[in-house]
């Protein structure tokens, strides 16, 4: 072997080892984060956490019942807003893919996808909080919904495009209108994937904090109407984390643990949904 | 002319290509049996497996030096797999392994002391679809030289010019060496790939259906090229095109379902085959 | 009958598509509208002034621009080699059985919410950084500061760059690598050929990570110290655009204050949108579907047929 060849082989081995090292380097923080979340969070969970509301500042005990409910309510509102808008937009883009209008809309969805969540929060503040001078559940839900839209649009469009063209032609040949063909044949065929996209989008916004800071704000108590501020798991964790109280720190970890579990559950649900619907489609 | 695949050479830069020395070898008689010194590649009882599927069965061939040997046969019968085993390109594929012996100048290709990287420099390959790098024409041809350590611009320029000339491409590209290789036509790209392979001065050139993606004019240019190249290189060419095999090759092996059915002088295979299957194939009764 | 049904379908769905368009335009419009006070009062000086004094009504965004760019660039410097290393390992070097699990684990990093990163940042990373700072002799060794922010941003950015880079490498035709091998290349040299083929897309992947780092809010604000000072020191607490908005938005007592914050939001919007569009352009010129895998980590990356 020439010296040149030997050197090249050593370099090759060296760089390959560095790549393997990169994987290890990335997995270390992942392991650490999961470890701490489980260790600190799980330990701090108790029944009170799920059933009680926060105690006043300085007092220990209490829980995040309202915050948990708040997050669930917010993502429901977000979905109620984002799913119809996103899906119908996606349907339009997949049915009329070549038009100039569709290209512009697709471009806009891409832009929206890249907007930092805090900026989306400012927008929601401007249109839903400022005019009525109050924080509200609706403002928070809409802010989250806006973040979901680009994901839903893209998944819906991509998946509808994958449905074989023969299906649409068959429906149209049987006399169905365009709308009927799409909603009764094509969308059901792509439903598992679309649902997955929605669940993944939900998982993403469930963990959002920044846009809620000045839309849904926070609430030490239960919110009784949609036009009141509402507590959320993420904002509550933030508030507790930056506070000086140890008890609140423990609760913050518990909240983080719950958040991670919630996102995990949504992801698993998404995968199950795909499997079950695919089985249904086949039978 | 012997070459060892594992000699420890102390000089740093590769030596200039042999064709610069203007060597010539006397042609042996037509029809005579192959003398030992004329055998470049010796294959004995070679099997090949993809996982558990056996795709090559007991291949035994002796491929002469400085000649064109064609491998013909219906698709999927193992010709490409066989040719890729010679320069161990199949090593890249997971779960693929060969069993048996392939000797190049007496050295076992799969032997423990054979270095794969060095082997592949000595055995060049041209693929079915041309695959130039997305770089300039110059950089494409220089690639093999540069990874081999050649830095001297004058040397590079020299070898690149000679390689492109050998590949009958020089006059078409000499004024735009730094243009992108992808701007060339299909036939030109394939000749570029041949020039690229020639630049590292291989002794053997393996060609896997080099003209199948090209139009008739480009194809005939490639065939002319092969005819000129065989003075200095041992060429093994896989082809679907029987007329092509008849035109360019000295010896032909007929493959069928992973076995060599017949291997002889090209004239014999096409005019006077011994096996009925060979005759059926070359007369177009199947395939 | 049928034609008008088709038309109403087209218009109906088109209306929702137009809504998406309206939203984006609306964001740009609203951000501008809600920052007019600040724009008219400070003009271009806003971007070059260091002073940020809510009490006297004197606002300058330079410290935040500095903090955002500095932290994002540092994060990129750390994250890019790691992300590319991961992409190369998973797509070229790892044994087949490890591929899916490793890809899944990498994308898990993207699924962790920003607030959880921040929590871990405050209670685990910052003490570690503090120890490092003490060891390096920095005074005062707070732990919070640019170093912690850059580190946490780097971890958050890695999965984005890595999964796009992986898609791009996957789509480099096998014949490119084969050509390199056939010329006597070592494995690393063949990998370099593949990277060269996909280089535009890989740059796009890096830019995507950059865009992500620019807009990150919660994790950064919890570890950067939130002090509007401009410093090249890694140990000094600093401030980013997203962080100042998150922290001071609800405290903004008067309209000018609020408008100043929103003007910062406007700049953030323009920069991140610009960087993201550039990155998509670069990735698109190599491969389109890579973006789907980034937008939808964890589950959909495996389920959506590639």
């Amino acid at each position: 072997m020439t010296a040149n060849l030997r050197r090249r082989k050593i370099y090759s081995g060296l760089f390959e080892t560095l790549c393997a090292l990169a994987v290890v380097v990335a997995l270390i923080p992942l392991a650490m984060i999961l470890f701490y979340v489980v260790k600190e969070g799980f330990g701090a969970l108790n029944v009170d956490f799920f059933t009680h509301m926060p105690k006043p500042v300085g007092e220990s005990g209490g829980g995040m019942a309202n915050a948990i409910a708040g997050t669930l309510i917010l993502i429901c509102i977000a979905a109620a807003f984002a799913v119809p808008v996103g899906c119908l937009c996606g349907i339009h883009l997949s049915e009329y893919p070549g038009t100039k209008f569709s290209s512009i809309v697709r471009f806009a969805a891409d832009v929206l996808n890249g907007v930092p969540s805090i900026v989306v929060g400012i927008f929601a503040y401007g249109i839903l909080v400022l005019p009525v001078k109050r924080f509200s559940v609706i403002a928070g839900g809409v802010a989250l919904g806006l973040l979901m839209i680009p994901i839903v649009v893209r998944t819906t469009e991509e998946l509808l495009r994958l449905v074989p063209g023969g299906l649409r032609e068959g429906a149209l040949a049987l006399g169905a209108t365009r709308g009927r063909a799409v909603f009764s044949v094509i969308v059901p065929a792509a439903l598992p994937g679309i649902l997955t996209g929605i669940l993944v989008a939900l998982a993403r916004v469930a963990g959002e904090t920044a846009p809620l800071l000045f839309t849904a704000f926070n609430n030490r108590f239960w919110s009784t109407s949609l036009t009141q501020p509402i507590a959320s798991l993420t904002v509550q964790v933030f508030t507790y984390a930056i506070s000086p109280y140890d008890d609140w720190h423990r609760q913050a970890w518990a909240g983080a643990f719950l958040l991670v579990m919630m996102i995990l559950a949504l992801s698993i649900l998404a995968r199950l949904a795909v499997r079950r619907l695919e089985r249904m489609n086949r039978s | 002319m012997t070459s060892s695949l594992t000699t420890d050479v102390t000089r740093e830069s590769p030596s200039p290509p042999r064709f610069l020395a203007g060597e010539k070898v006397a042609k042996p008689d037509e029809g005579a049996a192959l003398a030992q010194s004329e055998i470049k590649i010796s294959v004995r009882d070679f099997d090949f497996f993809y996982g558990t599927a056996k795709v090559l069965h007991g291949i035994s061939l002796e491929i002469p030096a400085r000649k064109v040997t064609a491998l013909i046969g219906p698709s999927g019968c193992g010709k490409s797999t066989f040719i890729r085993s010679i320069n161990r390109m199949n090593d890249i594929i997971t779960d693929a392994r060969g069993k048996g012996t392939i000797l190049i100048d007496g050295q076992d290709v799969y032997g423990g002391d054979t270095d794969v990287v060095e082997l592949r420099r000595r055995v060049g390959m041209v693929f079915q679809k041309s695959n130039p790098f997305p770089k300039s024409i110059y950089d494409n041809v220089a690639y093999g030289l540069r990874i081999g350590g050649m830095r001297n611009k004058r040397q590079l320029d020299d070898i690149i010019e000679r390689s492109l000339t050998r590949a009958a491409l020089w006059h078409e590209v000499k004024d735009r060496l730094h243009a992108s290789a992808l701007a060339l036509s299909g036939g030109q790209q394939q000749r570029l790939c041949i020039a690229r392979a020639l630049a590292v001065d291989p002794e053997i050139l393996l060609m896997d259906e080099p003209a199948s993606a090209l139009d008739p004019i480009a194809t005939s240019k490639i065939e002319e090229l092969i005819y000129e190249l065989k003075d200095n290189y041992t060429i093994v060419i896989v082809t679907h095109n029987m007329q092509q095999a008849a035109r360019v090759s000295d010896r032909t092996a007929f493959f069928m379902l992973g076995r060599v059915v017949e291997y002889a002088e090209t004239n014999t295979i096409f005019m006077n085959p011994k096996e009925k299957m060979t005759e059926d194939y070359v007369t177009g009764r199947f395939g | 009958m049928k034609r008008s049904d088709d038309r109403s379908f087209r218009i109906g769905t088109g209306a929702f598509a137009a809504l998406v368009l309206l939203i984006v335009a609306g964001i740009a419009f609203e951000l501008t509208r809600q920052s007019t006070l600040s724009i008219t009062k400070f003009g271009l000086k806003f971007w070059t002034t260091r002073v940020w004094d809510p009490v006297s009504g004197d606002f300058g965004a330079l410290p935040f621009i500095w903090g955002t760019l500095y932290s994002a660039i540092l994060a990129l410097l750390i994250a890019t080699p790691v992300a590319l290393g991961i992409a190369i390992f998973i797509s070229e070097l790892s044994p087949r059985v490890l591929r899916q699990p490793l890809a899944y684990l990498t994308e898990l990093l993207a699924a962790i919410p920003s607030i959880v990163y921040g929590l871990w940042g405050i209670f685990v990373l910052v003490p570690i950084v503090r120890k490092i700072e003490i060891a390096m002799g920095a005074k005062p060794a707070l732990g919070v500061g640019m170093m912690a922010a850059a580190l946490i941003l780097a971890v958050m950015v890695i999965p984005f760059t890595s999964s796009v880079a992986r898609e791009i490498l996957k789509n480099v035709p096998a014949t490119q690598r084969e050509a390199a091998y056939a010329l006597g290349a070592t494995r690393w040299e063949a990998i370099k050929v593949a990277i060269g083929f996909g280089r535009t897309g890989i740059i796009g992947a890096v830019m995507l990570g950059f865009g992500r780092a620019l807009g990150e809010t919660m994790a950064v604000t919890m570890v950067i110290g939130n002090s509007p000072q401009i410093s090249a020191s890694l140990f000094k607490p600093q401030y980013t655009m997203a962080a100042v908005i998150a922290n001071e938005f609800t405290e903004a007592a008067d309209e000018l204050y609020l408008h100043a914050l929103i003007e910062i939001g406007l700049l953030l919007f323009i920069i991140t949108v610009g960087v993201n569009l550039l990155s998509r352009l670069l990735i698109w010129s190599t491969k389109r579907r890579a973006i789907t895998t980034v937008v939808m980590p964890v589950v959909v990356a495996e389920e959506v047929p590639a």
Side-chain angles (χ1 to χ4, degrees), chain B residues 83-230:
Chain B
I83 206 178
R84 289 167 62 102
S85 302
I86 299 178
N87 66 347
R88 292 179 62 174
M89 283 297 284
N90 289 326
D91 283 11
I92 311 173
I93 304 174
T94 48
D95 236 14
R97 67 188 195 290
K99 214 174 63 154
T101 323
I102 298 184
L103 304 176
I104 297 183
D105 284 334
Q107 203 92 30
D108 186 355
V109 161
Y110 286 88
D113 54 347
T114 302
D115 181 69
V116 168
V117 173
E118 186 59 27
L119 166 69
R120 293 193 188 128
R121 200 189 67 69
R122 301 285 185 136
V123 181
M125 186 167 232
V126 175
F127 298 83
Q128 187 168 347
K129 186 144 186 334
S130 60
N131 50 7
F133 300 129
K135 303 182 192 205
S136 68
I137 295 170
Y138 186 96
D139 287 333
N140 262 278
V141 185
Y143 179 78
L145 299 166
R146 285 199 175 118
I147 58 175
M150 189 180 286
R151 298 260 172 264
N152 183 310
K153 187 160 187 322
R154 178 104 46 90
Q155 258 189 311
L156 283 170
D157 288 349
D158 242 11
I159 297 180
I160 289 171
E161 179 176 343
R162 283 180 204 282
S163 309
L164 286 168
T165 311
R166 277 271 148 169
L169 192 61
W170 175 249
H171 288 291
E172 290 165 57
V173 301
K174 66 177 193 266
D175 296 322
R176 47 175 174 146
L177 287 178
H178 294 284
S180 167
L182 302 175
L184 297 174
S185 74
Q188 289 173 320
Q189 284 188 13
Q190 191 64 306
R191 277 178 279 146
L192 174 64
C193 290
I194 294 175
R196 180 176 67 181
L198 294 179
V200 292
D201 190 28
E203 296 141 28
I204 301 169
L205 206 54
L206 304 173
M207 306 179 109
D208 192 350
E209 304 197 41
S212 66
L214 304 176
D215 62 76
I217 298 177
T219 302
S220 68
K221 283 213 179 110
I222 301 274
E223 287 178 13
E224 263 174 53
L225 191 50
I226 296 175
Y227 202 77
E228 285 164 19
L229 288 173
K230 76 173 178 189

Side-chain angles (χ1 to χ4, degrees), chain A residues 16-28 30-31 271, chain C residues 82-111 158-160 162-164 166 297-298 301-302:
Chain A
E16 291 175 22
T17 313
L18 285 178
C19 288
L21 217 68
V23 176
V24 173
V25 164
L27 291 184
I28 290 177
L30 178 66
R271 209 176 284 159
Chain C
V82 177
L84 290 182
I86 296 174
I88 293 173
F89 185 81
I90 296 180
S91 65
E92 312 272 335
L93 300 172
S94 93
R96 192 149 286 182
V97 289
L98 279 184
R99 259 180 220 166
Q100 197 69 294
L102 282 178
Y104 183 79
L105 284 175
T106 321
E107 274 149 22
L108 213 56
L109 273 173
I158 285 173
F160 288 84
S162 164
S163 63
V164 175
R166 201 167 20 99
V298 192
E302 300 149 43

